[in-house]
Amino acid sequence: MTNAAPTADAIAIYQNALDVLSDALITNDFETFADYLHLPHRIVTEEFTAKIQTRTEVQTQFQGFTAALRGLGVDGYTRTARGAEFTSPTQIRGTHACYLTDHGKLVVPEFPGSMVLDLRDGRWGSIQVQHHMRYVAWPEITSVAGQRV
């Protein structure tokens, strides 16, 4: 039974990060979004992996993703934790379901995602996110520093 509390804590921490990051994307709140990332940060999609190394690159990625969401008519981005676990005292790996909506109706089918959180200087932040979907274009992200890792 000793593993129950850490797993529950991992899920709560993971869900909080999902909520804050998703809300920041929908409300176009770059500062909050950037505060929940640790650099370098990896973005993994079905087509590529990008390594984001600077705050300027985070802003480019943020602007590209929010523009893609707006282009789809998305006004809600909900991510629900499906599982999360501590892989070390300072790292959590989790999986989640993603829902992009417009006035409560799905814009695209539900799709899975995953994220890795690191604890640095007493603060949890995402170091990697993986999107398992093809519904959102990533033109800004793929051009960040011309880098695909």
Short mmCIF file of all heavy atoms in Angstrom, two decimals, residues 21-65:
data_model
loop_
_atom_site.label_atom_id
_atom_site.label_comp_id
_atom_site.label_asym_id
_atom_site.label_seq_id
_atom_site.Cartn_x
_atom_site.Cartn_y
_atom_site.Cartn_z
N LEU A 21 -1.09 24.18 -18.42
CA LEU A 21 -0.57 24.35 -19.77
C LEU A 21 -1.69 24.48 -20.80
O LEU A 21 -1.64 25.34 -21.68
CB LEU A 21 0.36 23.20 -20.13
CG LEU A 21 1.71 23.21 -19.41
CD1 LEU A 21 2.40 21.86 -19.51
CD2 LEU A 21 2.60 24.31 -19.97
N SER A 22 -2.73 23.65 -20.68
CA SER A 22 -3.85 23.72 -21.62
C SER A 22 -4.58 25.04 -21.51
O SER A 22 -4.91 25.67 -22.53
CB SER A 22 -4.82 22.55 -21.38
OG SER A 22 -4.19 21.32 -21.62
N ASP A 23 -4.86 25.48 -20.28
CA ASP A 23 -5.54 26.76 -20.07
C ASP A 23 -4.71 27.92 -20.64
O ASP A 23 -5.25 28.84 -21.24
CB ASP A 23 -5.82 27.01 -18.59
CG ASP A 23 -6.90 26.10 -18.03
OD1 ASP A 23 -7.62 25.44 -18.81
OD2 ASP A 23 -7.02 26.05 -16.79
N ALA A 24 -3.39 27.86 -20.44
CA ALA A 24 -2.52 28.92 -20.96
C ALA A 24 -2.58 28.99 -22.48
O ALA A 24 -2.57 30.08 -23.06
CB ALA A 24 -1.09 28.70 -20.49
N LEU A 25 -2.66 27.83 -23.13
CA LEU A 25 -2.77 27.82 -24.59
C LEU A 25 -4.08 28.44 -25.06
O LEU A 25 -4.10 29.25 -25.98
CB LEU A 25 -2.64 26.38 -25.12
CG LEU A 25 -1.23 25.81 -25.11
CD1 LEU A 25 -1.26 24.29 -25.25
CD2 LEU A 25 -0.39 26.44 -26.22
N ILE A 26 -5.18 28.08 -24.41
CA ILE A 26 -6.49 28.59 -24.82
C ILE A 26 -6.64 30.08 -24.53
O ILE A 26 -7.26 30.81 -25.30
CB ILE A 26 -7.62 27.77 -24.15
CG1 ILE A 26 -7.63 26.35 -24.72
CG2 ILE A 26 -8.98 28.43 -24.31
CD1 ILE A 26 -7.84 26.25 -26.23
N THR A 27 -6.07 30.54 -23.41
CA THR A 27 -6.20 31.95 -23.05
C THR A 27 -5.05 32.80 -23.61
O THR A 27 -4.98 34.00 -23.32
CB THR A 27 -6.26 32.12 -21.52
OG1 THR A 27 -5.06 31.62 -20.93
CG2 THR A 27 -7.49 31.41 -20.95
N ASN A 28 -4.17 32.17 -24.39
CA ASN A 28 -3.04 32.87 -24.99
C ASN A 28 -2.13 33.52 -23.94
O ASN A 28 -1.67 34.64 -24.10
CB ASN A 28 -3.53 33.91 -26.01
CG ASN A 28 -2.47 34.22 -27.04
OD1 ASN A 28 -1.64 33.38 -27.37
ND2 ASN A 28 -2.48 35.43 -27.56
N ASP A 29 -1.89 32.80 -22.85
CA ASP A 29 -1.08 33.28 -21.73
C ASP A 29 0.33 32.69 -21.83
O ASP A 29 0.64 31.67 -21.21
CB ASP A 29 -1.76 32.88 -20.41
CG ASP A 29 -1.03 33.37 -19.18
OD1 ASP A 29 0.09 33.92 -19.29
OD2 ASP A 29 -1.59 33.18 -18.07
N PHE A 30 1.16 33.34 -22.60
CA PHE A 30 2.51 32.83 -22.84
C PHE A 30 3.33 32.73 -21.56
O PHE A 30 4.06 31.76 -21.36
CB PHE A 30 3.26 33.68 -23.87
CG PHE A 30 4.70 33.29 -23.99
CD1 PHE A 30 5.05 32.09 -24.60
CD2 PHE A 30 5.70 34.08 -23.45
CE1 PHE A 30 6.39 31.70 -24.68
CE2 PHE A 30 7.03 33.69 -23.52
CZ PHE A 30 7.38 32.50 -24.14
N GLU A 31 3.26 33.72 -20.69
CA GLU A 31 4.09 33.73 -19.48
C GLU A 31 3.82 32.50 -18.62
O GLU A 31 4.75 31.84 -18.15
CB GLU A 31 3.89 35.02 -18.69
CG GLU A 31 4.37 36.27 -19.39
CD GLU A 31 5.85 36.22 -19.76
OE1 GLU A 31 6.66 35.70 -18.97
OE2 GLU A 31 6.19 36.71 -20.86
N THR A 32 2.54 32.18 -18.40
CA THR A 32 2.20 31.00 -17.60
C THR A 32 2.68 29.74 -18.30
O THR A 32 3.25 28.85 -17.67
CB THR A 32 0.69 30.94 -17.34
OG1 THR A 32 0.32 32.10 -16.57
CG2 THR A 32 0.30 29.69 -16.59
N PHE A 33 2.46 29.67 -19.60
CA PHE A 33 2.89 28.51 -20.37
C PHE A 33 4.40 28.32 -20.23
O PHE A 33 4.87 27.22 -19.90
CB PHE A 33 2.50 28.70 -21.85
CG PHE A 33 2.85 27.54 -22.72
CD1 PHE A 33 1.99 26.46 -22.83
CD2 PHE A 33 4.04 27.53 -23.44
CE1 PHE A 33 2.30 25.37 -23.64
CE2 PHE A 33 4.36 26.45 -24.26
CZ PHE A 33 3.49 25.37 -24.35
N ALA A 34 5.15 29.36 -20.46
CA ALA A 34 6.61 29.28 -20.42
C ALA A 34 7.12 28.91 -19.02
O ALA A 34 8.12 28.20 -18.89
CB ALA A 34 7.23 30.59 -20.88
N ASP A 35 6.43 29.37 -17.99
CA ASP A 35 6.82 29.06 -16.62
C ASP A 35 6.68 27.59 -16.28
O ASP A 35 7.29 27.11 -15.33
CB ASP A 35 6.02 29.89 -15.61
CG ASP A 35 6.44 31.35 -15.59
OD1 ASP A 35 7.52 31.68 -16.14
OD2 ASP A 35 5.69 32.16 -15.02
N TYR A 36 5.86 26.86 -17.03
CA TYR A 36 5.66 25.43 -16.78
C TYR A 36 6.51 24.54 -17.68
O TYR A 36 6.30 23.33 -17.74
CB TYR A 36 4.18 25.06 -16.92
CG TYR A 36 3.46 25.13 -15.59
CD1 TYR A 36 3.07 26.35 -15.08
CD2 TYR A 36 3.20 23.98 -14.86
CE1 TYR A 36 2.44 26.44 -13.85
CE2 TYR A 36 2.57 24.05 -13.64
CZ TYR A 36 2.19 25.28 -13.14
OH TYR A 36 1.57 25.36 -11.91
N LEU A 37 7.49 25.14 -18.38
CA LEU A 37 8.42 24.36 -19.19
C LEU A 37 9.82 24.51 -18.62
O LEU A 37 10.18 25.56 -18.12
CB LEU A 37 8.44 24.85 -20.64
CG LEU A 37 7.15 24.77 -21.44
CD1 LEU A 37 7.42 25.21 -22.87
CD2 LEU A 37 6.56 23.38 -21.42
N HIS A 38 10.59 23.44 -18.71
CA HIS A 38 12.01 23.49 -18.40
C HIS A 38 12.76 23.25 -19.71
O HIS A 38 12.36 22.42 -20.53
CB HIS A 38 12.41 22.40 -17.40
CG HIS A 38 11.88 22.61 -16.02
ND1 HIS A 38 11.90 23.81 -15.36
CD2 HIS A 38 11.33 21.72 -15.14
CE1 HIS A 38 11.38 23.67 -14.15
NE2 HIS A 38 11.02 22.41 -14.01
N LEU A 39 13.82 24.01 -19.89
CA LEU A 39 14.63 23.89 -21.10
C LEU A 39 15.86 23.04 -20.84
O LEU A 39 16.40 23.08 -19.74
CB LEU A 39 15.02 25.28 -21.60
CG LEU A 39 13.85 26.19 -21.95
CD1 LEU A 39 14.36 27.58 -22.32
CD2 LEU A 39 13.00 25.61 -23.06
N PRO A 40 16.34 22.29 -21.84
CA PRO A 40 15.71 22.12 -23.14
C PRO A 40 14.42 21.31 -23.02
O PRO A 40 14.25 20.52 -22.10
CB PRO A 40 16.75 21.35 -23.95
CG PRO A 40 17.57 20.63 -22.94
CD PRO A 40 17.56 21.48 -21.71
N HIS A 41 13.52 21.55 -23.97
CA HIS A 41 12.22 20.90 -24.00
C HIS A 41 12.06 20.21 -25.35
O HIS A 41 12.40 20.77 -26.37
CB HIS A 41 11.12 21.95 -23.81
CG HIS A 41 9.75 21.38 -23.71
ND1 HIS A 41 8.94 21.22 -24.80
CD2 HIS A 41 9.06 20.92 -22.66
CE1 HIS A 41 7.79 20.69 -24.41
NE2 HIS A 41 7.85 20.49 -23.12
N ARG A 42 11.53 18.99 -25.32
CA ARG A 42 11.32 18.23 -26.57
C ARG A 42 9.84 18.15 -26.89
O ARG A 42 9.03 17.90 -26.01
CB ARG A 42 11.88 16.82 -26.44
CG ARG A 42 13.38 16.77 -26.30
CD ARG A 42 13.83 15.35 -26.05
NE ARG A 42 14.12 14.65 -27.28
CZ ARG A 42 15.28 14.71 -27.91
NH1 ARG A 42 16.25 15.46 -27.44
NH2 ARG A 42 15.48 14.03 -29.02
N ILE A 43 9.53 18.35 -28.16
CA ILE A 43 8.18 18.18 -28.68
C ILE A 43 8.24 17.05 -29.69
O ILE A 43 9.02 17.10 -30.63
CB ILE A 43 7.67 19.46 -29.37
CG1 ILE A 43 7.67 20.62 -28.39
CG2 ILE A 43 6.28 19.22 -29.96
CD1 ILE A 43 7.45 21.95 -29.05
N VAL A 44 7.43 16.03 -29.44
CA VAL A 44 7.44 14.85 -30.29
C VAL A 44 6.07 14.70 -30.93
O VAL A 44 5.05 14.75 -30.24
CB VAL A 44 7.78 13.58 -29.48
CG1 VAL A 44 7.82 12.35 -30.38
CG2 VAL A 44 9.10 13.75 -28.73
N THR A 45 6.04 14.56 -32.24
CA THR A 45 4.80 14.29 -32.97
C THR A 45 5.02 13.04 -33.81
O THR A 45 6.11 12.46 -33.79
CB THR A 45 4.38 15.46 -33.89
OG1 THR A 45 5.26 15.50 -35.01
CG2 THR A 45 4.39 16.79 -33.15
N GLU A 46 4.00 12.67 -34.55
CA GLU A 46 4.13 11.51 -35.42
C GLU A 46 5.14 11.74 -36.53
O GLU A 46 5.71 10.81 -37.07
CB GLU A 46 2.77 11.14 -36.01
CG GLU A 46 1.81 10.62 -34.97
CD GLU A 46 0.45 10.25 -35.55
OE1 GLU A 46 0.19 10.53 -36.74
OE2 GLU A 46 -0.34 9.68 -34.81
N GLU A 47 5.38 13.02 -36.88
CA GLU A 47 6.27 13.33 -37.99
C GLU A 47 7.68 13.75 -37.61
O GLU A 47 8.59 13.63 -38.40
CB GLU A 47 5.64 14.44 -38.85
CG GLU A 47 4.48 13.95 -39.69
CD GLU A 47 3.17 14.55 -39.21
OE1 GLU A 47 3.21 15.55 -38.49
OE2 GLU A 47 2.11 14.00 -39.55
N PHE A 48 7.88 14.29 -36.41
CA PHE A 48 9.19 14.81 -36.07
C PHE A 48 9.36 14.99 -34.57
O PHE A 48 8.40 14.92 -33.82
CB PHE A 48 9.44 16.16 -36.76
CG PHE A 48 8.62 17.26 -36.17
CD1 PHE A 48 9.12 18.07 -35.18
CD2 PHE A 48 7.32 17.49 -36.61
CE1 PHE A 48 8.36 19.08 -34.62
CE2 PHE A 48 6.55 18.50 -36.05
CZ PHE A 48 7.08 19.29 -35.07
N THR A 49 10.59 15.27 -34.17
CA THR A 49 10.92 15.66 -32.81
C THR A 49 11.68 16.98 -32.90
O THR A 49 12.63 17.10 -33.68
CB THR A 49 11.77 14.60 -32.10
OG1 THR A 49 11.04 13.38 -32.04
CG2 THR A 49 12.15 15.04 -30.70
N ALA A 50 11.26 17.96 -32.12
CA ALA A 50 11.95 19.25 -32.08
C ALA A 50 12.50 19.46 -30.68
O ALA A 50 11.85 19.14 -29.69
CB ALA A 50 10.99 20.38 -32.43
N LYS A 51 13.70 20.00 -30.61
CA LYS A 51 14.32 20.33 -29.34
C LYS A 51 14.32 21.85 -29.19
O LYS A 51 14.95 22.56 -29.98
CB LYS A 51 15.74 19.78 -29.28
CG LYS A 51 16.40 19.94 -27.93
CD LYS A 51 17.74 19.23 -27.92
CE LYS A 51 18.40 19.31 -26.56
NZ LYS A 51 19.73 18.65 -26.59
N ILE A 52 13.59 22.31 -28.20
CA ILE A 52 13.45 23.75 -27.95
C ILE A 52 14.46 24.12 -26.86
O ILE A 52 14.44 23.56 -25.77
CB ILE A 52 12.01 24.09 -27.46
CG1 ILE A 52 10.96 23.48 -28.39
CG2 ILE A 52 11.84 25.58 -27.28
CD1 ILE A 52 11.05 23.91 -29.82
N GLN A 53 15.33 25.09 -27.16
CA GLN A 53 16.41 25.40 -26.24
C GLN A 53 16.35 26.79 -25.60
O GLN A 53 17.02 27.02 -24.60
CB GLN A 53 17.75 25.24 -26.96
CG GLN A 53 17.87 23.84 -27.55
CD GLN A 53 19.27 23.31 -27.48
OE1 GLN A 53 19.93 23.43 -26.46
NE2 GLN A 53 19.72 22.71 -28.57
N THR A 54 15.58 27.71 -26.19
CA THR A 54 15.55 29.07 -25.67
C THR A 54 14.11 29.53 -25.45
O THR A 54 13.17 28.98 -26.02
CB THR A 54 16.21 30.06 -26.65
OG1 THR A 54 15.40 30.17 -27.83
CG2 THR A 54 17.63 29.63 -27.02
N ARG A 55 13.95 30.56 -24.65
CA ARG A 55 12.62 31.12 -24.41
C ARG A 55 12.02 31.67 -25.70
O ARG A 55 10.82 31.58 -25.92
CB ARG A 55 12.70 32.21 -23.34
CG ARG A 55 11.36 32.68 -22.85
CD ARG A 55 11.54 33.59 -21.63
NE ARG A 55 10.30 34.19 -21.22
CZ ARG A 55 9.47 33.65 -20.33
NH1 ARG A 55 9.75 32.49 -19.78
NH2 ARG A 55 8.35 34.27 -20.00
N THR A 56 12.85 32.21 -26.58
CA THR A 56 12.38 32.71 -27.87
C THR A 56 11.80 31.56 -28.68
O THR A 56 10.75 31.70 -29.32
CB THR A 56 13.52 33.40 -28.63
OG1 THR A 56 13.98 34.50 -27.86
CG2 THR A 56 13.07 33.88 -30.00
N GLU A 57 12.45 30.41 -28.66
CA GLU A 57 11.94 29.24 -29.36
C GLU A 57 10.64 28.74 -28.73
O GLU A 57 9.74 28.29 -29.44
CB GLU A 57 12.99 28.12 -29.39
CG GLU A 57 14.16 28.45 -30.27
CD GLU A 57 15.30 27.46 -30.16
OE1 GLU A 57 15.29 26.60 -29.24
OE2 GLU A 57 16.22 27.52 -30.99
N VAL A 58 10.54 28.85 -27.40
CA VAL A 58 9.28 28.48 -26.72
C VAL A 58 8.16 29.39 -27.23
O VAL A 58 7.06 28.92 -27.55
CB VAL A 58 9.40 28.58 -25.19
CG1 VAL A 58 8.03 28.40 -24.52
CG2 VAL A 58 10.38 27.56 -24.64
N GLN A 59 8.44 30.68 -27.34
CA GLN A 59 7.42 31.62 -27.79
C GLN A 59 7.00 31.33 -29.24
O GLN A 59 5.81 31.37 -29.57
CB GLN A 59 7.89 33.06 -27.67
CG GLN A 59 6.78 34.05 -27.93
CD GLN A 59 7.10 35.43 -27.40
OE1 GLN A 59 8.25 35.78 -27.20
NE2 GLN A 59 6.07 36.21 -27.15
N THR A 60 7.94 30.99 -30.09
CA THR A 60 7.62 30.63 -31.47
C THR A 60 6.72 29.40 -31.51
O THR A 60 5.73 29.36 -32.22
CB THR A 60 8.91 30.40 -32.28
OG1 THR A 60 9.67 31.60 -32.28
CG2 THR A 60 8.60 29.98 -33.71
N GLN A 61 7.08 28.40 -30.72
CA GLN A 61 6.28 27.17 -30.65
C GLN A 61 4.88 27.48 -30.12
O GLN A 61 3.89 27.01 -30.66
CB GLN A 61 7.00 26.15 -29.76
CG GLN A 61 6.26 24.87 -29.53
CD GLN A 61 5.49 24.85 -28.23
OE1 GLN A 61 5.81 25.53 -27.27
NE2 GLN A 61 4.45 24.08 -28.19
N PHE A 62 4.82 28.27 -29.06
CA PHE A 62 3.54 28.64 -28.45
C PHE A 62 2.65 29.36 -29.46
O PHE A 62 1.48 29.03 -29.63
CB PHE A 62 3.81 29.54 -27.24
CG PHE A 62 2.57 30.06 -26.56
CD1 PHE A 62 1.93 29.29 -25.60
CD2 PHE A 62 2.08 31.33 -26.84
CE1 PHE A 62 0.79 29.77 -24.97
CE2 PHE A 62 0.95 31.80 -26.21
CZ PHE A 62 0.30 31.03 -25.26
N GLN A 63 3.20 30.34 -30.16
CA GLN A 63 2.43 31.09 -31.14
C GLN A 63 1.95 30.20 -32.29
O GLN A 63 0.81 30.33 -32.75
CB GLN A 63 3.25 32.27 -31.67
CG GLN A 63 3.46 33.34 -30.62
CD GLN A 63 4.48 34.39 -31.04
OE1 GLN A 63 5.29 34.18 -31.93
NE2 GLN A 63 4.44 35.53 -30.36
N GLY A 64 2.81 29.29 -32.73
CA GLY A 64 2.42 28.38 -33.80
C GLY A 64 1.30 27.44 -33.38
O GLY A 64 0.35 27.22 -34.14
N PHE A 65 1.39 26.91 -32.17
CA PHE A 65 0.37 25.98 -31.71
C PHE A 65 -0.95 26.69 -31.44
O PHE A 65 -2.02 26.20 -31.83
CB PHE A 65 0.85 25.23 -30.46
CG PHE A 65 -0.01 24.07 -30.09
CD1 PHE A 65 -0.27 23.05 -31.00
CD2 PHE A 65 -0.57 23.97 -28.83
CE1 PHE A 65 -1.07 21.96 -30.65
CE2 PHE A 65 -1.36 22.88 -28.48
CZ PHE A 65 -1.62 21.88 -29.39
#
